[in-house]
Structure formats: structure tokens, C-alpha cells
Amino acid sequence: MLSIKEYHQAFITHLNGYVYDREPKNLYAPIQYILKLGGKRLRPILTLMTTDIFDGHYQDAMDAALSIEVFHNFSLVHDDIMDAAPLRRGQPTVHEKWDVNTGILSGDAMLIMAYRLFENYDSQMFRDLAQLFSKTAIEVCEGQQYDIDFESRTDVTVSEYLKMIEYKTAVLVGAAMKMGAIVAKASLKDQNHIYEFGKHLGVAFQLQDDYLDTFGDPKSFGKQLGGDIIENKKTYLYLKAIEFSDEKDKVALLQLFSSKPQDVDAKIRAAKQFFVSSGSAAATEKAIRTYTDLAFSALELIEIADHKKQILKDFGIQLMNRTV
């Protein structure tokens, strides 16, 4: 087993060998840009780590890990277009640096590139990886559509929101880990348990991401703070604030999250006040802990040595204590 830093560096080396100048430049330059923009590389690291956990060799999982990362960044390019987001990881988004049409076409190419990476595995493994990838990819699209639909609805429930983030974010984390297990030729039972571990951890990760979007440090978060509030997104914070508020505050929240004021800073401050005073912020922190515990429960069912379980548990704890 390597350290997280060593897995990260090994993956970056592989990524740098994959991202090189190609023609036409206006198609591939944006792909180079987004893939080299940085980020936590959480999903590919989990793929490599999982392969080692199940006594495979992490180098054998490099292309599966790269596929997950290329797909993830493809989804970010298109998400940023749909959200009209100006920044990604503290830098201009692809559609801002180039234009919308370039972002759409380069994103399309990234999706195809992600699939092609499975061609480097034998036929059975190709089939297993591609089936999982296809299932996950369509779920991510479904999650994105739920997210868009929620922006114009005032009756979104907590359970609907949790389903949305499961599809949009968590299934990709689960798939990243299951791919590592597939490459290591782990049992189907352990493949499914590690998927559940990753999925629950992915829900906790997204809830934490939502929390940091409002209460994080703008210098380290890498995105515009309060972006979800500006876009009137019905996050867990918002839905719990609605649930906990009296009728007067509920009406005020509904009005706030249907507005598009010139002074967005005032809107963000008002929303944060509602989240804290209603108990929504505390409830979100509790939900993050709950889903982390669910992940750890799935981890206990996996037939690996205890010290390997502890490595994954430590990673989950570290992930939930992050500030970015």
C-alpha cells in the first residue's frame, strides 16, 4: 500500500503522459486545460487504492482510474455551462476561457475518451468495467437533471434531494472503488460492498461540499462562496431550514430563494443567518456524520484484513474533516 500522496503523484504522472498536444487544437486544448487544472483527484486515488486493498497492483488500474477522472471532468465542463459558472478551482471555466460551443464539443470528446480507456483491458474486464461505467454515467445524467428540475420547484423533499446527490455525485465514487475491485479480481460480494462504502462516502462528501459552499473559506474553497444560494439551489441546508422554520421564516426563505437580487452578498448573508438560526447547519453536519458511519458499516462487511479496513476508514475521516 502507498500513501495518499504517493497514489496522487503516481496518478498525476500517468495523467501527464495521457494529456499532450493533439490536433485540432481548439478541441484538445480545453481538455488539457481542465484535466491539468488540479483538484483533489479523489476518485482515481480511490480506484488505485482499492486495487491494492484487494491484493491487485495499482498500476494495473491506472487506465480505469484515468477513465473515471476524464469522465468526472467532462461532467464538470458541461455542469459549468449549465450553471453559467465563471470559476472552477479558482480559474476561469472552459466556456469562459473559450466559448460555450467549444465547451460542449470538448466535453463530448472527453466522454468518448473515457470509454476508450477500457480498451486496454482484456475482453471480460472490458465488459465488466464498461457495464458499470454505462450504468454510472446515465445515473450521473439523471442526477444532473434532478438538480436542474429542483431549481424551479418549491416542493423538493429531503429524500428527493438525497436521491439527486446519490446519482449526481455518490455513484461515481462507488464506481471508482468498484472498478479498482474489478481490476484486482475481487469477489462479486466484495465488489458490491466496496461500492456501497464508496456510495455512502460520496453522499457524505457532497453534503460536506454543500456545507463548505456556504460556510467554507473562500481562499481555499476554489469556487465562488455561496454559489448554491445565488443559484437558488435546494440543498440539504435549505431543505432543513424550511423544515425547521416557523411559517414567517419559511415564507421569507421561499422569497429569498426565488429572488435574483443585484446585491448577492446580502442574499448570501441572509441565507447563512437562516441556516444557523434554524438549526439547519447543525443538522447538515449531523447528516455528514450519519452517511460516513453508513460507509464504515459497509466497510465492515468486506473480507479484507483489519489494517486495510483501517486505511479506508482513515481516508474517510480525513475526507470529512477537509476544508476544501
Side-chain angles (χ1 to χ4, degrees):
M1 296 291 297
L2 305 182
S3 67
I4 300 301
K5 185 177 181 180
E6 287 171 325
Y7 283 121
H8 184 274
Q9 186 54 56
F11 177 73
I12 294 302
T13 299
H14 189 67
L15 175 65
N16 288 341
Y18 178 76
V19 179
Y20 57 89
D21 290 338
R22 304 186 198 184
E23 296 292 337
K25 187 172 182 179
N26 283 337
L27 176 67
Y28 290 107
I31 297 173
Q32 287 182 307
Y33 174 76
I34 188 69
L35 287 175
K36 289 191 173 184
L37 209 52
K40 294 174 281 293
R41 314 294 187 184
L42 164 70
R43 296 154 193 84
I45 288 172
L46 285 172
T47 302
L48 302 181
M49 183 188 300
T50 303
T51 301
D52 272 351
I53 287 287
F54 287 111
D55 297 324
H57 196 289
Y58 75 92
Q59 287 287 355
D60 294 337
M62 277 295 180
D63 284 329
L66 184 55
S67 176
I68 285 286
E69 185 68 2
V70 172
F71 175 80
H72 172 59
N73 280 275
F74 141 75
S75 71
L76 296 183
V77 171
H78 282 194
D79 285 1
D80 286 341
I81 291 170
M82 287 182 270
D83 293 342
L87 297 176
R88 168 65 61 183
R89 297 166 185 154
Q91 298 297 321
T93 49
V94 167
H95 70 275
E96 286 285 335
K97 188 173 176 65
W98 281 272
D99 53 54
V100 170
N101 287 345
T102 298
I104 292 171
L105 189 58
S106 293
D108 290 345
M110 290 174 77
L111 178 59
I112 298 164
M113 291 164 69
Y115 269 103
R116 291 195 66 183
L117 285 159
F118 298 135
E119 295 171 7
N120 297 324
Y121 294 96
D122 65 48
S123 58
Q124 183 58 53
M125 197 168 289
F126 172 90
R127 180 176 178 177
D128 292 344
L129 291 169
Q131 283 182 338
L132 174 60
F133 187 89
S134 296
K135 172 183 175 293
T136 304
I138 197 64
E139 287 174 340
V140 170
C141 291
E142 289 168 0
Q144 175 66 3
Q145 186 61 57
Y146 283 131
D147 195 20
I148 293 168
D149 292 346
F150 291 173
E151 290 181 25
S152 59
R153 283 180 51 189
T154 59
D155 60 346
V156 179
T157 65
V158 169
S159 61
E160 285 179 314
Y161 177 75
L162 290 171
K163 179 180 181 181
M164 182 273 287
I165 63 173
E166 177 185 331
Y167 281 17
K168 186 176 177 181
T169 300
V171 295
L172 192 58
V173 179
M177 301 198 77
K178 188 172 181 177
M179 281 187 183
I182 290 171
V183 172
K185 299 181 179 179
S187 69
L188 183 59
K189 181 180 175 183
D190 281 342
Q191 288 178 27
N192 292 334
H193 286 323
I194 200 70
Y195 177 86
E196 290 299 311
F197 169 77
K199 186 179 72 173
H200 289 311
L201 201 64
V203 173
F205 177 86
Q206 186 58 55
L207 290 172
Q208 176 82 333
D209 207 50
D210 292 350
Y211 184 87
L212 291 173
D213 185 89
T214 298
F215 294 103
D217 180 352
K219 292 182 180 178
S220 60
F221 191 52
K223 293 188 286 185
Q224 182 179 20
L225 208 61
D228 289 343
I229 296 169
I230 295 169
E231 295 164 21
N232 295 325
K233 289 197 173 182
K234 280 53 172 199
T235 63
Y236 195 89
L237 279 164
Y238 168 83
L239 295 172
K240 281 296 180 180
I242 288 288
E243 180 183 329
F244 295 155
S245 294
D246 59 28
E247 199 60 37
K248 179 182 176 182
D249 284 347
K250 191 180 295 185
V251 170
L253 259 174
L254 288 168
Q255 289 177 341
L256 186 67
F257 274 76
S258 62
S259 66
K260 294 185 179 293
Q262 292 286 334
D263 187 357
V264 294
D265 290 336
K267 179 177 179 177
I268 293 168
R269 287 194 300 271
K272 287 175 71 172
Q273 186 176 0
F274 276 120
F275 293 160
V276 173
S277 62
S278 68
S280 166
T284 302
E285 291 179 297
K286 182 179 179 181
I288 292 165
R289 292 191 296 271
T290 297
Y291 276 94
T292 304
D293 289 343
L294 285 171
F296 293 161
S297 295
L299 180 60
E300 289 306 312
L301 299 173
I302 301 171
E303 294 182 0
I304 53 175
D306 287 343
H307 75 275
K308 291 184 176 181
K309 291 180 183 179
Q310 191 60 48
I311 290 170
L312 290 173
K313 190 170 184 179
D314 289 344
F315 184 83
I317 292 169
Q318 178 185 342
L319 199 63
M320 293 308 109
N321 290 331
R322 78 191 196 281
T323 58
V324 296

